[in-house]
Amino acid sequence: MAEGNSFASLRLVERVLEETARRFTLPDLGLRMAAQQDLHVLGPLAIAMENSRTIGEAVECASRYLFVYSPALSLEETDDPLGSPGVVGLRYTTTGINASPQAIDYGIGIVHRVLTLLHGDVPYGLRSVLLPHARLVQESTYRKYFGAEVRFDCPSAVLRVPSQLFSTPVSGDDLLHDIAMDHLETHFGRQHVPMSDLVAAILGEQLGSSGPDLSKVARLLSLHPRSLQRSLSKEGTTFSGVVDRVRRSQALDLITRTDLSFSQIAASLGMQEQSSLTRAVRRWFDTSPSRLRREGLVPKGQSALID
């Protein structure tokens, strides 16, 4: 999640949500939080969306710039998973392979709330909601929040909406929209943010779940894998090179700041065996994992930061 010019770990945010829901017996915490948010939780992206010409333009803007809020999240238009005519899907995903149910409810709950606000704070014709986890609270709670049927244990989180929704006008200001878009493009346009930094931010959330996946990262950035590789090559690096520097940074943090076993650390970095971690640490820091943990310091001449 975005915090200033850096990113807080999405996995940490998810753990906080799950622990809070458990400790205070609030199984609908994600929905409760989403209900309290307005469009401006998205910062400058909100200004561009609420001043778009149509809801479709606002959704396209969100799909393009959601990485500003968090590079681990994505929103995309898809075919209706149930195949109904005149219906399309809005799929909300995170890079994690076992995403937090509370975080999913919170995220797709915000998408639903934003669409409602863009539609004039009235129902926009939501057909049904598909969620990838088991029911957390009685179905009536979900139905009350979404105003539609909710299905559970589905392949992904999807809002099923009428296709004509995207042509619905939004009562915005063209000048404000252009100013907001110029701000987003100037400060967050991909030609201004090093592609390797975007890839590193995504991989920071991905390694401990599904492992480094070029195709998935490319999809989150709306690029073909070969286009992503070419962009990284122009910056003098490769996908595997970015994976290596992210692993290096995470390994240093986990070895020196946690009590996790080395086998657990290897798994969290997407490595198949502990021996792979040992070889990598030797290459990165010219020492062993056990000595690095014992001394708690990076060997002389080694940087603790991602270059």
Side-chain angles (χ1 to χ4, degrees):
M1 308 290 286
E3 183 179 359
N5 293 322
S6 61
F7 292 96
S9 168
L10 180 64
R11 283 175 288 176
L12 175 59
V13 173
E14 290 181 336
R15 288 198 299 271
V16 170
L17 281 173
E18 293 294 336
E19 179 61 20
T20 301
R22 184 195 65 79
R23 184 169 298 182
F24 293 97
T25 318
L26 294 172
D28 59 341
L29 176 64
L31 295 180
R32 288 182 182 227
M33 290 177 57
Q36 301 302 314
Q37 301 290 355
D38 63 17
L39 191 59
H40 294 93
V41 69
L42 300 175
L45 176 56
I47 299 174
M49 292 177 66
E50 66 184 353
N51 289 287
S52 295
R53 295 168 183 83
T54 64
I55 288 181
E57 186 178 86
V59 169
E60 192 281 330
C61 182
S63 298
R64 182 178 179 186
Y65 288 107
L66 190 58
F67 77 93
V68 174
Y69 183 67
S70 172
L73 308 178
S74 67
L75 181 70
E76 58 183 345
E77 180 183 344
T78 68
D79 293 335
D80 176 31
L82 304 185
S84 298
V87 177
V88 297
L90 278 177
R91 181 165 58 203
Y92 172 82
T93 57
T94 76
T95 56
I97 201 168
N98 292 312
S100 154
Q102 292 294 343
I104 289 291
D105 282 2
Y106 174 61
I108 202 165
I110 286 181
V111 175
H112 167 70
R113 179 153 173 75
V114 167
L115 288 175
T116 301
L117 293 171
L118 290 174
H119 201 252
D121 207 14
V122 295
Y124 57 88
L126 179 63
R127 297 293 188 263
S128 66
V129 183
L130 310 181
L131 295 175
H133 57 73
R135 179 171 60 85
L136 303 179
V137 70
Q138 56 266 37
E139 291 185 34
S140 60
T141 300
Y142 282 99
R143 181 176 286 275
K144 180 179 180 181
Y145 181 82
F146 290 106
E149 175 192 9
V150 179
R151 300 188 183 188
F152 306 92
D153 296 314
C154 300
S156 55
V158 177
L159 297 178
R160 300 178 61 246
V161 304
S163 54
Q164 65 266 28
L165 174 66
F166 295 136
S167 62
T168 303
V170 176
S171 300
D173 184 296
D174 288 347
L175 179 59
L176 284 177
H177 176 267
D178 292 343
I179 291 173
M181 289 298 293
D182 182 68
H183 174 83
L184 287 167
E185 191 63 26
T186 299
H187 295 278
F188 304 106
R190 288 185 185 128
Q191 65 267 42
H192 300 287
V193 178
M195 183 62 70
S196 56
D197 287 354
L198 291 176
V199 171
I202 293 173
L203 286 171
E205 302 295 342
Q206 198 179 75
L207 288 179
S209 53
S210 57
D213 187 325
L214 173 63
S215 297
K216 180 179 286 188
V217 172
R219 178 177 61 78
L220 289 172
L221 293 170
S222 300
L223 293 172
H224 189 281
R226 286 196 293 272
S227 297
L228 175 56
Q229 290 173 315
R230 285 194 294 269
S231 296
L232 292 174
S233 178
K234 290 179 181 178
E235 295 179 8
T237 188
T238 62
F239 183 73
S240 60
V242 179
V243 171
D244 191 65
R245 70 182 175 101
V246 171
R247 279 177 166 162
R248 177 182 183 275
S249 178
Q250 290 192 353
L252 178 64
D253 184 64
L254 293 172
I255 290 172
T256 60
R257 299 185 183 182
T258 77
D259 294 324
L260 291 175
S261 69
F262 295 139
S263 61
Q264 289 175 312
I265 293 174
S268 72
L269 297 178
M271 296 178 170
Q272 297 297 318
E273 300 176 349
Q274 182 178 327
S275 59
S276 298
L277 174 66
T278 300
R279 290 193 297 272
V281 169
R282 180 70 67 180
R283 173 168 55 85
W284 292 325
F285 306 117
D286 193 29
T287 189
S288 67
S290 57
R291 184 179 177 188
L292 186 59
R293 169 166 285 174
R294 185 170 60 251
E295 296 180 352
L297 298 171
V298 182
K300 185 178 181 180
Q302 296 285 346
S303 172
L305 301 176
I306 294 181
D307 299 325

